[in-house]
Amino acid sequence: MGQILAIDYGKARCGIAATDDMQIIASGLDTVETHFLISFLAQYFSKNRVDAIVVGLPVDLKGQISEVETDILSFIEKFKSEFPDIKVERLDERFTSKMASFFISQSGKSKKQRQQKGLIDKVSATIILQNFLEQKIR
């Protein structure tokens, strides 16, 4: 069994989280500038077995898809052509950034650390992945 990665995709940078090889625990992995994402993943896949990625689906409170979805769909198309053996899943990412900000604020990190947007992206990816794992169990 290989890992599952989650990507909180953004125009500037992407938060990435990964499971352990048993697909039980979700942990924040890294934050990567979006234009380096494919090369980061290629390098990661060369060292780790990955069965699937979960990409957040940006939906607002009214159920409308965010404008970044166009970029996400382009990324997924490129990803599938580069890594055809790795499954791509989607998961509603509503509230993940707000939840990430809340969890970070409760973690005891300094104000400067809490304001790092990359940290929020990485924690958001972790929340997306944990939600995916929980839905998979049901």
Side-chain angles (χ1 to χ4, degrees):
M1 188 180 282
Q3 299 175 2
I4 300 172
L5 261 57
I7 300 172
D8 180 33
Y9 192 95
K11 288 183 180 264
R13 78 192 151 271
C14 300
I16 302 172
T19 65
D20 57 304
D21 290 336
M22 298 295 294
Q23 299 180 2
I24 297 171
I25 299 169
S27 301
L29 182 63
D30 209 341
T31 303
V32 177
E33 290 180 39
T34 301
H35 60 275
F36 292 128
L37 183 57
I38 291 289
S39 60
F40 172 87
L41 293 172
Q43 184 176 8
Y44 190 83
F45 296 159
S46 72
K47 297 175 184 170
N48 300 277
R49 182 172 168 214
V50 176
D51 291 341
I53 66 164
V54 180
V55 181
L57 180 64
V59 181
D60 68 17
L61 291 174
K62 295 179 181 177
Q64 303 294 314
I65 301 292
S66 170
E67 66 183 48
V68 76
E69 178 67 5
T70 304
D71 296 330
I72 293 172
L73 292 174
S74 294
F75 161 74
I76 290 172
E77 208 172 286
K78 184 172 183 178
F79 180 90
K80 286 180 176 180
S81 69
E82 296 269 337
F83 312 106
D85 296 332
I86 298 176
K87 189 174 181 181
V88 177
E89 302 274 357
R90 300 298 305 272
L91 187 76
D92 186 340
E93 65 176 43
R94 250 178 285 201
F95 304 115
T96 56
S97 293
K98 288 192 186 315
M99 290 170 57
S101 294
F102 173 77
F103 291 140
I104 292 167
S105 73
Q106 300 299 305
S107 70
K109 295 203 180 288
S110 71
K111 183 176 181 180
K112 187 173 184 174
Q113 288 172 314
R114 290 192 311 258
Q115 291 174 337
Q116 292 177 354
K117 293 185 184 208
L119 179 59
I120 292 172
D121 295 333
K122 184 166 57 171
V123 173
S124 293
T126 307
I127 294 168
I128 290 167
L129 187 52
Q130 188 62 48
N131 289 344
F132 178 79
L133 292 174
E134 289 171 7
Q135 284 186 9
K136 198 173 125 178
I137 292 171
R138 292 181 198 157

